Each structure stands twice: as C-alpha cells, then as structure tokens.
Amino acid sequence: MASNYQSIIFFSKDYGGVLAFLPIIKKIQEDDKLLNVVVIAHESSYELYKKKDIKVIVIPSYLNQNKIGQFLDKIIDINKPKIIVTGTSRKGKNEIRTLEQILIKKARNTDIKTISILDFWGFYEERFPCKNGQVIHDYIPDVICCLDEKCKEDLLALGVPHANLKITHNPHIDSVNTSVKKIHKNVNEFNVLYVSQPIREQDLTGSLGFDQESNFTQLLNTFVKGSRWFNKHINIYLWVHPKESIIPWESIVNEKNKEFVKMGRSIKMIYDENKSYDLFNKLDLACSYYSSVLYDALYFRIPCLSLGIGSKVDISSLLVTNKLGLTQVILSEKDLNKYINESDFKVLIEKLNKKILNYSKKKIFFSDGSATKKIIKIINNIQK
C-alpha cells in the first residue's frame, strides 16, 4: 500500500464505529507493514479492541473535553498521520461537539485528510454539525463513507459536496456475512434475542414514556401466556448495551428464571456476554428498541421487532428498516401478543426473503460484502 512509512489514526467513541473499523485495521496490519496504525480508544469501546488484540491509546476518563483536545493534539503531533479515520458518534450529555468532530476540525487546519465511516442511517445533523439545515464546512470530512444511495442523498440535501461522498456500506457487515450458515433448526425450540439500548443513561426514559425493562418483561409474558408455546422450549437471549449497567437486567433474568421453574415451563433466559454472531444462525426472532443489531439480524433472514410499547414519540423513523418494511414496529402490548401468538413465522420469513431480494437488487440497505475493500482503496488513493 504505502511507499513510505506513514501513520493513520483511527478513532470512534461509539461501539458501532469500532465494529466498522475492525476489519479495516486487521486488513491494513496484515497487508501493509509500512503503514503505522494508531488506534485511539474511548473507555466505552476499549474492550472491543482488546478482544481482537489490537493495541490502543485509551483516552483517560478523568480528562474534560478541553484536556482531551490537548491529548489528541499530542498524539497527532507525535505520529504525524497522513489520514485520520473517524466514526460518526452522536453527542453525549454535556458535549458541545463529539470527539470525532473535534478531530475533523483539527485536521482541517493541516494537510491531514479525514475519512468518516457511517455505521447507522439517520441522525445526520447530530453526526455532522449543522446550521440552518446545512452542514458546517469545518466539520465536513474529506470522505464520508455512505451506507447506500439513500444515505448519500440525505447528506447531499444537508449540503455535503458530492465529491466528499462515497458509497461503501459498513465493513462490519462484511464479517456478519461470513457468519451466515445454513443449519437445521430444532423445531421444538424457539430462540429469541433482545438487544437493549442505553436510553436510561441518555435520560430518555421520561420523554419516551416507557422503559426497556418493562418492554422486555412484556415480551417474556407474551410467551408465558401464549398457548402455542406450552410444548416448546423457549430460549430468550439478552444482549446488554456496553454503556448500560447490567444490574437491573441481571435482576430480571434471575427473578424470571425462578418464576419459569415454579410454573414448570420450559422457558429459559440467558444473559449472553459472548455476543457471538454464531447465535444468529439459530434465532427465530430478534427484538430491540432501535439497535443496529437488528440490521445484522436481517442478513440471517430473522424476523425483527422494533419495540416501543407505550412510547409517547414516533419511533418509526429510528430504524431505516422500519420505513422499508423490513422490521416491524410494535407500540402496544396488544400488537405484541398478536404478532407473537398469531403469526405464521414460516410465512414471515418467506415475505422477508422476497423483500431482501428486492432491496438487494436495487442496492438499497443491503451490502454486497465489499465495504472493507472499498475503504482500503480510498485509503490507498489518499496516500498516493
């Protein structure tokens, strides 16, 4: 790749951005010994790098935003990167600008090129600061890696120049695709995944009008009450978001499992710390408020529910797949009961397969599996 020894810096605060980075970092480290990969990690996503044995510089948690800026300046000064690759995290509490946005603006004042990789549709005005509905020039990266044509159109409407937009999709999906396997499912089992989001940590519970723990409990109760499940073994897997405390979730898991034993029901809840995509090959249903894990589940042809029972706000736009009809929005306990207890899941999967085939042909939402290759090519072209 590189003709001279050069550095490239990667930084994403959020989990999804780090997942997008991992295949790219791995590929560079395997193929280009002349390119020095410098990874800056936020404490909330450090563990992902650790699992992959990727060395990182962790931002100290005690630093305020001003001190973090100085910390980043020092890393840039020492490594003198030609390229900085960022995620596109949304602002946290008390943040004026995200750390990715700070890095992009810093690079604007130098000859350092910036690449930002999108891993989620929507919320673009939070990912790229806007004024009067247009992206502020100082925060536009040299390249934004878009997810599909719709994503690109939305960014063009915000004033991002056409030359800065490249459709690549998300490299994380490349690895998801390789995890898809055809296996014979046990007809006596029904496997469900629930993925939480940090809405309590973001102080959103009050404004939304519901909490995830109650939605999760309603999901469990639906399987308890439904007569069609009496002779099935139900496994309900729980993935807790890394920004959340596991304590309230562990309490629900322990209490409910005791209840199920007393009832004599073959229902088991599993707090799954491993979070392996091998699980998806045996899943029958995936549920979340708006986790992008539902996007991944669709590649495994799994029916998905976007759960917001009791919501005061319109959640239909939170996931692009809700608008595309690939995920089902559930806003009431009545609708949840009807879906779980009356749906023919074979028919649901058949309909889902037809939609996936249609959108794949139109290059909408679904990746062709070459995102990593496309982004490596962009990096190569910048280095020339």
Side-chain angles (χ1 to χ4, degrees), residues 88 116 118 120 122-125 127-128 130 133-135 140-141 143-162 164-166:
T88 53
S116 291
L118 283 160
F120 200 92
F123 306 103
Y124 301 122
E125 293 186 41
R127 303 181 194 283
F128 306 102
C130 292
Q134 295 289 288
V135 177
I140 300 176
V143 178
I144 298 175
C145 295
C146 305
L147 292 158
D148 61 5
E149 193 64 45
K150 179 65 169 66
C151 173
K152 182 178 177 180
E153 288 172 4
D154 290 343
L155 289 166
L156 284 170
L158 289 175
V160 178
H162 190 277
N164 296 62
L165 300 170
K166 304 292 181 186

PDB file of all heavy atoms in Angstrom, residues 88 116 118 120 122-125 127-128 130 133-135 140-141 143-162 164-166:
ATOM      1  N   THR A  88     -18.800   8.136  13.504  1.00  0.00           N
ATOM      2  CA  THR A  88     -19.756   9.252  13.394  1.00  0.00           C
ATOM      3  C   THR A  88     -20.704   9.226  14.584  1.00  0.00           C
ATOM      4  O   THR A  88     -21.925   9.234  14.433  1.00  0.00           O
ATOM      5  CB  THR A  88     -20.548   9.172  12.079  1.00  0.00           C
ATOM      6  OG1 THR A  88     -21.141   7.869  11.962  1.00  0.00           O
ATOM      7  CG2 THR A  88     -19.650   9.410  10.876  1.00  0.00           C
ATOM      8  N   SER A 116     -14.643   9.635   7.351  1.00  0.00           N
ATOM      9  CA  SER A 116     -15.629   9.259   8.369  1.00  0.00           C
ATOM     10  C   SER A 116     -16.488   8.119   7.841  1.00  0.00           C
ATOM     11  O   SER A 116     -16.991   8.185   6.718  1.00  0.00           O
ATOM     12  CB  SER A 116     -16.520  10.446   8.733  1.00  0.00           C
ATOM     13  OG  SER A 116     -15.782  11.428   9.425  1.00  0.00           O
ATOM     14  N   LEU A 118     -19.807   5.878   8.242  1.00  0.00           N
ATOM     15  CA  LEU A 118     -21.145   5.761   8.825  1.00  0.00           C
ATOM     16  C   LEU A 118     -21.478   4.292   9.089  1.00  0.00           C
ATOM     17  O   LEU A 118     -21.198   3.435   8.240  1.00  0.00           O
ATOM     18  CB  LEU A 118     -22.189   6.373   7.898  1.00  0.00           C
ATOM     19  CG  LEU A 118     -22.260   7.907   7.894  1.00  0.00           C
ATOM     20  CD1 LEU A 118     -22.936   8.414   6.631  1.00  0.00           C
ATOM     21  CD2 LEU A 118     -22.997   8.413   9.128  1.00  0.00           C
ATOM     22  N   PHE A 120     -24.683   3.723  10.670  1.00  0.00           N
ATOM     23  CA  PHE A 120     -26.106   3.789  11.009  1.00  0.00           C
ATOM     24  C   PHE A 120     -26.758   4.857  10.140  1.00  0.00           C
ATOM     25  O   PHE A 120     -26.168   5.907   9.887  1.00  0.00           O
ATOM     26  CB  PHE A 120     -26.255   4.160  12.496  1.00  0.00           C
ATOM     27  CG  PHE A 120     -27.582   3.819  13.103  1.00  0.00           C
ATOM     28  CD1 PHE A 120     -27.779   2.597  13.731  1.00  0.00           C
ATOM     29  CD2 PHE A 120     -28.642   4.713  13.066  1.00  0.00           C
ATOM     30  CE1 PHE A 120     -29.006   2.271  14.311  1.00  0.00           C
ATOM     31  CE2 PHE A 120     -29.870   4.403  13.637  1.00  0.00           C
ATOM     32  CZ  PHE A 120     -30.046   3.176  14.257  1.00  0.00           C
ATOM     33  N   GLY A 122     -29.386   7.835   9.389  1.00  0.00           N
ATOM     34  CA  GLY A 122     -30.129   8.871  10.104  1.00  0.00           C
ATOM     35  C   GLY A 122     -29.323   9.628  11.139  1.00  0.00           C
ATOM     36  O   GLY A 122     -28.132   9.374  11.340  1.00  0.00           O
ATOM     37  N   PHE A 123     -29.998  10.609  11.767  1.00  0.00           N
ATOM     38  CA  PHE A 123     -29.388  11.484  12.772  1.00  0.00           C
ATOM     39  C   PHE A 123     -28.168  12.213  12.214  1.00  0.00           C
ATOM     40  O   PHE A 123     -27.219  12.511  12.942  1.00  0.00           O
ATOM     41  CB  PHE A 123     -28.991  10.693  14.033  1.00  0.00           C
ATOM     42  CG  PHE A 123     -30.094   9.896  14.647  1.00  0.00           C
ATOM     43  CD1 PHE A 123     -30.158   8.519  14.472  1.00  0.00           C
ATOM     44  CD2 PHE A 123     -31.087  10.510  15.401  1.00  0.00           C
ATOM     45  CE1 PHE A 123     -31.177   7.769  15.033  1.00  0.00           C
ATOM     46  CE2 PHE A 123     -32.112   9.771  15.974  1.00  0.00           C
ATOM     47  CZ  PHE A 123     -32.164   8.398  15.786  1.00  0.00           C
ATOM     48  N   TYR A 124     -28.187  12.524  10.925  1.00  0.00           N
ATOM     49  CA  TYR A 124     -27.010  13.105  10.272  1.00  0.00           C
ATOM     50  C   TYR A 124     -26.660  14.495  10.800  1.00  0.00           C
ATOM     51  O   TYR A 124     -25.486  14.876  10.846  1.00  0.00           O
ATOM     52  CB  TYR A 124     -27.221  13.161   8.751  1.00  0.00           C
ATOM     53  CG  TYR A 124     -27.482  11.814   8.134  1.00  0.00           C
ATOM     54  CD1 TYR A 124     -28.650  11.563   7.413  1.00  0.00           C
ATOM     55  CD2 TYR A 124     -26.570  10.765   8.286  1.00  0.00           C
ATOM     56  CE1 TYR A 124     -28.901  10.316   6.852  1.00  0.00           C
ATOM     57  CE2 TYR A 124     -26.816   9.521   7.726  1.00  0.00           C
ATOM     58  CZ  TYR A 124     -27.985   9.295   7.011  1.00  0.00           C
ATOM     59  OH  TYR A 124     -28.225   8.057   6.475  1.00  0.00           O
ATOM     60  N   GLU A 125     -27.677  15.259  11.222  1.00  0.00           N
ATOM     61  CA  GLU A 125     -27.405  16.608  11.726  1.00  0.00           C
ATOM     62  C   GLU A 125     -26.714  16.577  13.082  1.00  0.00           C
ATOM     63  O   GLU A 125     -26.135  17.577  13.503  1.00  0.00           O
ATOM     64  CB  GLU A 125     -28.711  17.414  11.795  1.00  0.00           C
ATOM     65  CG  GLU A 125     -29.288  17.708  10.413  1.00  0.00           C
ATOM     66  CD  GLU A 125     -30.494  18.631  10.458  1.00  0.00           C
ATOM     67  OE1 GLU A 125     -30.461  19.598  11.239  1.00  0.00           O
ATOM     68  OE2 GLU A 125     -31.457  18.381   9.715  1.00  0.00           O
ATOM     69  N   ARG A 127     -24.490  13.952  13.695  1.00  0.00           N
ATOM     70  CA  ARG A 127     -23.185  13.376  13.365  1.00  0.00           C
ATOM     71  C   ARG A 127     -22.272  14.404  12.688  1.00  0.00           C
ATOM     72  O   ARG A 127     -21.044  14.374  12.856  1.00  0.00           O
ATOM     73  CB  ARG A 127     -23.378  12.156  12.457  1.00  0.00           C
ATOM     74  CG  ARG A 127     -24.274  11.095  13.080  1.00  0.00           C
ATOM     75  CD  ARG A 127     -24.432   9.882  12.181  1.00  0.00           C
ATOM     76  NE  ARG A 127     -25.525   9.033  12.617  1.00  0.00           N
ATOM     77  CZ  ARG A 127     -25.499   8.194  13.652  1.00  0.00           C
ATOM     78  NH1 ARG A 127     -24.403   8.123  14.383  1.00  0.00           N
ATOM     79  NH2 ARG A 127     -26.544   7.451  13.960  1.00  0.00           N
ATOM     80  N   PHE A 128     -22.891  15.300  11.915  1.00  0.00           N
ATOM     81  CA  PHE A 128     -22.150  16.369  11.229  1.00  0.00           C
ATOM     82  C   PHE A 128     -22.835  17.694  11.567  1.00  0.00           C
ATOM     83  O   PHE A 128     -23.928  17.964  11.056  1.00  0.00           O
ATOM     84  CB  PHE A 128     -22.137  16.124   9.715  1.00  0.00           C
ATOM     85  CG  PHE A 128     -21.619  14.766   9.338  1.00  0.00           C
ATOM     86  CD1 PHE A 128     -22.509  13.745   8.977  1.00  0.00           C
ATOM     87  CD2 PHE A 128     -20.272  14.486   9.373  1.00  0.00           C
ATOM     88  CE1 PHE A 128     -22.053  12.486   8.642  1.00  0.00           C
ATOM     89  CE2 PHE A 128     -19.799  13.214   9.038  1.00  0.00           C
ATOM     90  CZ  PHE A 128     -20.685  12.212   8.680  1.00  0.00           C
ATOM     91  N   CYS A 130     -24.668  21.069  12.022  1.00  0.00           N
ATOM     92  CA  CYS A 130     -25.354  21.870  11.009  1.00  0.00           C
ATOM     93  C   CYS A 130     -25.760  23.238  11.554  1.00  0.00           C
ATOM     94  O   CYS A 130     -25.920  23.424  12.761  1.00  0.00           O
ATOM     95  CB  CYS A 130     -26.608  21.141  10.518  1.00  0.00           C
ATOM     96  SG  CYS A 130     -26.284  19.643   9.577  1.00  0.00           S
ATOM     97  N   GLY A 133     -29.875  24.040   8.787  1.00  0.00           N
ATOM     98  CA  GLY A 133     -30.138  22.886   7.937  1.00  0.00           C
ATOM     99  C   GLY A 133     -29.027  22.498   6.985  1.00  0.00           C
ATOM    100  O   GLY A 133     -29.230  21.640   6.112  1.00  0.00           O
ATOM    101  N   GLN A 134     -27.851  23.101   7.138  1.00  0.00           N
ATOM    102  CA  GLN A 134     -26.717  22.782   6.273  1.00  0.00           C
ATOM    103  C   GLN A 134     -25.485  22.459   7.136  1.00  0.00           C
ATOM    104  O   GLN A 134     -25.255  23.092   8.170  1.00  0.00           O
ATOM    105  CB  GLN A 134     -26.383  23.962   5.356  1.00  0.00           C
ATOM    106  CG  GLN A 134     -27.491  24.293   4.361  1.00  0.00           C
ATOM    107  CD  GLN A 134     -27.622  23.250   3.265  1.00  0.00           C
ATOM    108  OE1 GLN A 134     -26.791  23.144   2.373  1.00  0.00           O
ATOM    109  NE2 GLN A 134     -28.711  22.476   3.319  1.00  0.00           N
ATOM    110  N   VAL A 135     -24.714  21.472   6.704  1.00  0.00           N
ATOM    111  CA  VAL A 135     -23.529  21.060   7.461  1.00  0.00           C
ATOM    112  C   VAL A 135     -22.502  22.191   7.471  1.00  0.00           C
ATOM    113  O   VAL A 135     -22.226  22.810   6.438  1.00  0.00           O
ATOM    114  CB  VAL A 135     -22.899  19.784   6.858  1.00  0.00           C
ATOM    115  CG1 VAL A 135     -21.617  19.412   7.614  1.00  0.00           C
ATOM    116  CG2 VAL A 135     -23.885  18.619   6.923  1.00  0.00           C
ATOM    117  N   ILE A 140     -16.906  18.951   7.800  1.00  0.00           N
ATOM    118  CA  ILE A 140     -17.097  18.014   6.692  1.00  0.00           C
ATOM    119  C   ILE A 140     -15.796  17.260   6.433  1.00  0.00           C
ATOM    120  O   ILE A 140     -14.779  17.873   6.078  1.00  0.00           O
ATOM    121  CB  ILE A 140     -17.531  18.729   5.397  1.00  0.00           C
ATOM    122  CG1 ILE A 140     -18.853  19.481   5.607  1.00  0.00           C
ATOM    123  CG2 ILE A 140     -17.687  17.710   4.258  1.00  0.00           C
ATOM    124  CD1 ILE A 140     -19.296  20.288   4.393  1.00  0.00           C
ATOM    125  N   PRO A 141     -15.767  15.939   6.621  1.00  0.00           N
ATOM    126  CA  PRO A 141     -14.555  15.169   6.333  1.00  0.00           C
ATOM    127  C   PRO A 141     -14.252  15.183   4.825  1.00  0.00           C
ATOM    128  O   PRO A 141     -15.127  15.479   4.004  1.00  0.00           O
ATOM    129  CB  PRO A 141     -14.902  13.753   6.793  1.00  0.00           C
ATOM    130  CG  PRO A 141     -16.174  13.873   7.554  1.00  0.00           C
ATOM    131  CD  PRO A 141     -16.871  15.089   7.064  1.00  0.00           C
ATOM    132  N   VAL A 143     -13.727  12.588   3.102  1.00  0.00           N
ATOM    133  CA  VAL A 143     -14.548  11.493   2.560  1.00  0.00           C
ATOM    134  C   VAL A 143     -15.524  11.024   3.636  1.00  0.00           C
ATOM    135  O   VAL A 143     -15.125  10.775   4.777  1.00  0.00           O
ATOM    136  CB  VAL A 143     -13.689  10.294   2.102  1.00  0.00           C
ATOM    137  CG1 VAL A 143     -14.590   9.160   1.591  1.00  0.00           C
ATOM    138  CG2 VAL A 143     -12.693  10.693   1.031  1.00  0.00           C
ATOM    139  N   ILE A 144     -16.787  10.930   3.272  1.00  0.00           N
ATOM    140  CA  ILE A 144     -17.778  10.278   4.127  1.00  0.00           C
ATOM    141  C   ILE A 144     -18.170   8.974   3.440  1.00  0.00           C
ATOM    142  O   ILE A 144     -18.623   8.978   2.287  1.00  0.00           O
ATOM    143  CB  ILE A 144     -19.030  11.145   4.340  1.00  0.00           C
ATOM    144  CG1 ILE A 144     -18.663  12.459   5.050  1.00  0.00           C
ATOM    145  CG2 ILE A 144     -20.074  10.381   5.163  1.00  0.00           C
ATOM    146  CD1 ILE A 144     -19.835  13.425   5.199  1.00  0.00           C
ATOM    147  N   CYS A 145     -17.972   7.870   4.133  1.00  0.00           N
ATOM    148  CA  CYS A 145     -18.328   6.555   3.581  1.00  0.00           C
ATOM    149  C   CYS A 145     -19.806   6.295   3.868  1.00  0.00           C
ATOM    150  O   CYS A 145     -20.201   6.029   5.014  1.00  0.00           O
ATOM    151  CB  CYS A 145     -17.460   5.474   4.205  1.00  0.00           C
ATOM    152  SG  CYS A 145     -15.707   5.645   3.793  1.00  0.00           S
ATOM    153  N   CYS A 146     -20.620   6.399   2.829  1.00  0.00           N
ATOM    154  CA  CYS A 146     -22.079   6.275   2.949  1.00  0.00           C
ATOM    155  C   CYS A 146     -22.517   4.816   2.913  1.00  0.00           C
ATOM    156  O   CYS A 146     -21.824   3.959   2.368  1.00  0.00           O
ATOM    157  CB  CYS A 146     -22.775   7.026   1.814  1.00  0.00           C
ATOM    158  SG  CYS A 146     -22.312   8.759   1.690  1.00  0.00           S
ATOM    159  N   LEU A 147     -23.707   4.586   3.444  1.00  0.00           N
ATOM    160  CA  LEU A 147     -24.225   3.216   3.519  1.00  0.00           C
ATOM    161  C   LEU A 147     -24.930   2.767   2.247  1.00  0.00           C
ATOM    162  O   LEU A 147     -24.864   1.596   1.883  1.00  0.00           O
ATOM    163  CB  LEU A 147     -25.171   3.101   4.717  1.00  0.00           C
ATOM    164  CG  LEU A 147     -24.452   3.220   6.072  1.00  0.00           C
ATOM    165  CD1 LEU A 147     -25.410   3.644   7.167  1.00  0.00           C
ATOM    166  CD2 LEU A 147     -23.781   1.915   6.428  1.00  0.00           C
ATOM    167  N   ASP A 148     -25.627   3.691   1.593  1.00  0.00           N
ATOM    168  CA  ASP A 148     -26.288   3.370   0.327  1.00  0.00           C
ATOM    169  C   ASP A 148     -26.689   4.672  -0.357  1.00  0.00           C
ATOM    170  O   ASP A 148     -26.336   5.771   0.112  1.00  0.00           O
ATOM    171  CB  ASP A 148     -27.490   2.437   0.523  1.00  0.00           C
ATOM    172  CG  ASP A 148     -28.593   3.041   1.400  1.00  0.00           C
ATOM    173  OD1 ASP A 148     -28.481   4.232   1.781  1.00  0.00           O
ATOM    174  OD2 ASP A 148     -29.573   2.329   1.702  1.00  0.00           O
ATOM    175  N   GLU A 149     -27.413   4.562  -1.458  1.00  0.00           N
ATOM    176  CA  GLU A 149     -27.774   5.747  -2.239  1.00  0.00           C
ATOM    177  C   GLU A 149     -28.676   6.701  -1.447  1.00  0.00           C
ATOM    178  O   GLU A 149     -28.523   7.924  -1.531  1.00  0.00           O
ATOM    179  CB  GLU A 149     -28.487   5.321  -3.528  1.00  0.00           C
ATOM    180  CG  GLU A 149     -28.641   6.426  -4.557  1.00  0.00           C
ATOM    181  CD  GLU A 149     -27.323   6.954  -5.097  1.00  0.00           C
ATOM    182  OE1 GLU A 149     -26.439   6.149  -5.414  1.00  0.00           O
ATOM    183  OE2 GLU A 149     -27.197   8.200  -5.180  1.00  0.00           O
ATOM    184  N   LYS A 150     -29.599   6.152  -0.655  1.00  0.00           N
ATOM    185  CA  LYS A 150     -30.487   6.992   0.158  1.00  0.00           C
ATOM    186  C   LYS A 150     -29.688   7.790   1.178  1.00  0.00           C
ATOM    187  O   LYS A 150     -29.943   8.991   1.396  1.00  0.00           O
ATOM    188  CB  LYS A 150     -31.518   6.112   0.865  1.00  0.00           C
ATOM    189  CG  LYS A 150     -32.495   6.887   1.772  1.00  0.00           C
ATOM    190  CD  LYS A 150     -33.372   7.831   0.967  1.00  0.00           C
ATOM    191  CE  LYS A 150     -34.526   8.406   1.783  1.00  0.00           C
ATOM    192  NZ  LYS A 150     -34.097   9.292   2.880  1.00  0.00           N
ATOM    193  N   CYS A 151     -28.743   7.145   1.816  1.00  0.00           N
ATOM    194  CA  CYS A 151     -27.857   7.811   2.780  1.00  0.00           C
ATOM    195  C   CYS A 151     -27.116   8.958   2.099  1.00  0.00           C
ATOM    196  O   CYS A 151     -27.030  10.071   2.632  1.00  0.00           O
ATOM    197  CB  CYS A 151     -26.876   6.783   3.349  1.00  0.00           C
ATOM    198  SG  CYS A 151     -25.585   7.446   4.409  1.00  0.00           S
ATOM    199  N   LYS A 152     -26.612   8.701   0.906  1.00  0.00           N
ATOM    200  CA  LYS A 152     -25.892   9.726   0.144  1.00  0.00           C
ATOM    201  C   LYS A 152     -26.810  10.902  -0.200  1.00  0.00           C
ATOM    202  O   LYS A 152     -26.420  12.069  -0.050  1.00  0.00           O
ATOM    203  CB  LYS A 152     -25.318   9.107  -1.140  1.00  0.00           C
ATOM    204  CG  LYS A 152     -24.503  10.067  -1.995  1.00  0.00           C
ATOM    205  CD  LYS A 152     -23.949   9.348  -3.217  1.00  0.00           C
ATOM    206  CE  LYS A 152     -23.183  10.296  -4.126  1.00  0.00           C
ATOM    207  NZ  LYS A 152     -22.638   9.590  -5.318  1.00  0.00           N
ATOM    208  N   GLU A 153     -28.022  10.605  -0.635  1.00  0.00           N
ATOM    209  CA  GLU A 153     -28.989  11.663  -0.987  1.00  0.00           C
ATOM    210  C   GLU A 153     -29.304  12.553   0.216  1.00  0.00           C
ATOM    211  O   GLU A 153     -29.406  13.779   0.097  1.00  0.00           O
ATOM    212  CB  GLU A 153     -30.279  11.031  -1.518  1.00  0.00           C
ATOM    213  CG  GLU A 153     -30.142  10.416  -2.909  1.00  0.00           C
ATOM    214  CD  GLU A 153     -31.388   9.645  -3.312  1.00  0.00           C
ATOM    215  OE1 GLU A 153     -32.381   9.657  -2.529  1.00  0.00           O
ATOM    216  OE2 GLU A 153     -31.377   9.030  -4.389  1.00  0.00           O
ATOM    217  N   ASP A 154     -29.464  11.947   1.375  1.00  0.00           N
ATOM    218  CA  ASP A 154     -29.770  12.696   2.592  1.00  0.00           C
ATOM    219  C   ASP A 154     -28.628  13.649   2.961  1.00  0.00           C
ATOM    220  O   ASP A 154     -28.866  14.776   3.415  1.00  0.00           O
ATOM    221  CB  ASP A 154     -30.049  11.753   3.756  1.00  0.00           C
ATOM    222  CG  ASP A 154     -31.365  10.987   3.601  1.00  0.00           C
ATOM    223  OD1 ASP A 154     -32.192  11.413   2.771  1.00  0.00           O
ATOM    224  OD2 ASP A 154     -31.548   9.975   4.297  1.00  0.00           O
ATOM    225  N   LEU A 155     -27.400  13.205   2.764  1.00  0.00           N
ATOM    226  CA  LEU A 155     -26.241  14.050   3.081  1.00  0.00           C
ATOM    227  C   LEU A 155     -26.058  15.161   2.050  1.00  0.00           C
ATOM    228  O   LEU A 155     -25.682  16.282   2.389  1.00  0.00           O
ATOM    229  CB  LEU A 155     -24.979  13.197   3.186  1.00  0.00           C
ATOM    230  CG  LEU A 155     -24.938  12.306   4.442  1.00  0.00           C
ATOM    231  CD1 LEU A 155     -23.846  11.248   4.323  1.00  0.00           C
ATOM    232  CD2 LEU A 155     -24.715  13.140   5.698  1.00  0.00           C
ATOM    233  N   LEU A 156     -26.356  14.859   0.788  1.00  0.00           N
ATOM    234  CA  LEU A 156     -26.327  15.908  -0.245  1.00  0.00           C
ATOM    235  C   LEU A 156     -27.332  17.015   0.095  1.00  0.00           C
ATOM    236  O   LEU A 156     -27.043  18.203  -0.087  1.00  0.00           O
ATOM    237  CB  LEU A 156     -26.652  15.312  -1.620  1.00  0.00           C
ATOM    238  CG  LEU A 156     -25.553  14.501  -2.303  1.00  0.00           C
ATOM    239  CD1 LEU A 156     -26.116  13.773  -3.525  1.00  0.00           C
ATOM    240  CD2 LEU A 156     -24.383  15.394  -2.711  1.00  0.00           C
ATOM    241  N   ALA A 157     -28.494  16.610   0.612  1.00  0.00           N
ATOM    242  CA  ALA A 157     -29.535  17.582   0.974  1.00  0.00           C
ATOM    243  C   ALA A 157     -29.089  18.488   2.122  1.00  0.00           C
ATOM    244  O   ALA A 157     -29.595  19.600   2.269  1.00  0.00           O
ATOM    245  CB  ALA A 157     -30.816  16.847   1.356  1.00  0.00           C
ATOM    246  N   LEU A 158     -28.117  18.017   2.915  1.00  0.00           N
ATOM    247  CA  LEU A 158     -27.586  18.828   4.016  1.00  0.00           C
ATOM    248  C   LEU A 158     -26.396  19.679   3.583  1.00  0.00           C
ATOM    249  O   LEU A 158     -25.765  20.326   4.418  1.00  0.00           O
ATOM    250  CB  LEU A 158     -27.169  17.917   5.178  1.00  0.00           C
ATOM    251  CG  LEU A 158     -28.298  17.247   5.962  1.00  0.00           C
ATOM    252  CD1 LEU A 158     -27.729  16.284   6.997  1.00  0.00           C
ATOM    253  CD2 LEU A 158     -29.183  18.285   6.643  1.00  0.00           C
ATOM    254  N   GLY A 159     -26.092  19.640   2.301  1.00  0.00           N
ATOM    255  CA  GLY A 159     -25.032  20.493   1.788  1.00  0.00           C
ATOM    256  C   GLY A 159     -23.654  19.884   1.741  1.00  0.00           C
ATOM    257  O   GLY A 159     -22.664  20.587   1.481  1.00  0.00           O
ATOM    258  N   VAL A 160     -23.549  18.575   1.964  1.00  0.00           N
ATOM    259  CA  VAL A 160     -22.243  17.922   1.832  1.00  0.00           C
ATOM    260  C   VAL A 160     -21.922  17.804   0.346  1.00  0.00           C
ATOM    261  O   VAL A 160     -22.745  17.303  -0.430  1.00  0.00           O
ATOM    262  CB  VAL A 160     -22.233  16.522   2.480  1.00  0.00           C
ATOM    263  CG1 VAL A 160     -20.869  15.853   2.289  1.00  0.00           C
ATOM    264  CG2 VAL A 160     -22.589  16.610   3.965  1.00  0.00           C
ATOM    265  N   PRO A 161     -20.741  18.267  -0.100  1.00  0.00           N
ATOM    266  CA  PRO A 161     -20.399  18.197  -1.534  1.00  0.00           C
ATOM    267  C   PRO A 161     -20.390  16.767  -2.056  1.00  0.00           C
ATOM    268  O   PRO A 161     -19.986  15.834  -1.339  1.00  0.00           O
ATOM    269  CB  PRO A 161     -18.991  18.800  -1.586  1.00  0.00           C
ATOM    270  CG  PRO A 161     -18.895  19.659  -0.372  1.00  0.00           C
ATOM    271  CD  PRO A 161     -19.704  18.959   0.682  1.00  0.00           C
ATOM    272  N   HIS A 162     -20.836  16.606  -3.285  1.00  0.00           N
ATOM    273  CA  HIS A 162     -20.889  15.280  -3.923  1.00  0.00           C
ATOM    274  C   HIS A 162     -19.518  14.610  -3.911  1.00  0.00           C
ATOM    275  O   HIS A 162     -19.412  13.390  -3.705  1.00  0.00           O
ATOM    276  CB  HIS A 162     -21.382  15.443  -5.370  1.00  0.00           C
ATOM    277  CG  HIS A 162     -21.705  14.146  -6.044  1.00  0.00           C
ATOM    278  ND1 HIS A 162     -20.738  13.352  -6.639  1.00  0.00           N
ATOM    279  CD2 HIS A 162     -22.888  13.486  -6.202  1.00  0.00           C
ATOM    280  CE1 HIS A 162     -21.307  12.282  -7.153  1.00  0.00           C
ATOM    281  NE2 HIS A 162     -22.609  12.340  -6.900  1.00  0.00           N
ATOM    282  N   ASN A 164     -17.291  14.591  -1.749  1.00  0.00           N
ATOM    283  CA  ASN A 164     -16.899  14.062  -0.438  1.00  0.00           C
ATOM    284  C   ASN A 164     -17.637  12.781  -0.068  1.00  0.00           C
ATOM    285  O   ASN A 164     -17.367  12.207   0.990  1.00  0.00           O
ATOM    286  CB  ASN A 164     -17.168  15.115   0.643  1.00  0.00           C
ATOM    287  CG  ASN A 164     -16.327  16.362   0.491  1.00  0.00           C
ATOM    288  OD1 ASN A 164     -16.438  17.061  -0.506  1.00  0.00           O
ATOM    289  ND2 ASN A 164     -15.496  16.665   1.470  1.00  0.00           N
ATOM    290  N   LEU A 165     -18.545  12.347  -0.908  1.00  0.00           N
ATOM    291  CA  LEU A 165     -19.383  11.198  -0.576  1.00  0.00           C
ATOM    292  C   LEU A 165     -19.052   9.979  -1.429  1.00  0.00           C
ATOM    293  O   LEU A 165     -19.030  10.055  -2.655  1.00  0.00           O
ATOM    294  CB  LEU A 165     -20.860  11.565  -0.761  1.00  0.00           C
ATOM    295  CG  LEU A 165     -21.361  12.728   0.112  1.00  0.00           C
ATOM    296  CD1 LEU A 165     -22.763  13.153  -0.335  1.00  0.00           C
ATOM    297  CD2 LEU A 165     -21.372  12.344   1.584  1.00  0.00           C
ATOM    298  N   LYS A 166     -18.796   8.862  -0.773  1.00  0.00           N
ATOM    299  CA  LYS A 166     -18.532   7.597  -1.453  1.00  0.00           C
ATOM    300  C   LYS A 166     -19.419   6.517  -0.839  1.00  0.00           C
ATOM    301  O   LYS A 166     -19.485   6.382   0.380  1.00  0.00           O
ATOM    302  CB  LYS A 166     -17.059   7.181  -1.282  1.00  0.00           C
ATOM    303  CG  LYS A 166     -16.043   8.216  -1.746  1.00  0.00           C
ATOM    304  CD  LYS A 166     -16.066   8.415  -3.245  1.00  0.00           C
ATOM    305  CE  LYS A 166     -15.010   9.439  -3.669  1.00  0.00           C
ATOM    306  NZ  LYS A 166     -15.114   9.762  -5.112  1.00  0.00           N
TER     307      LYS A 166
END
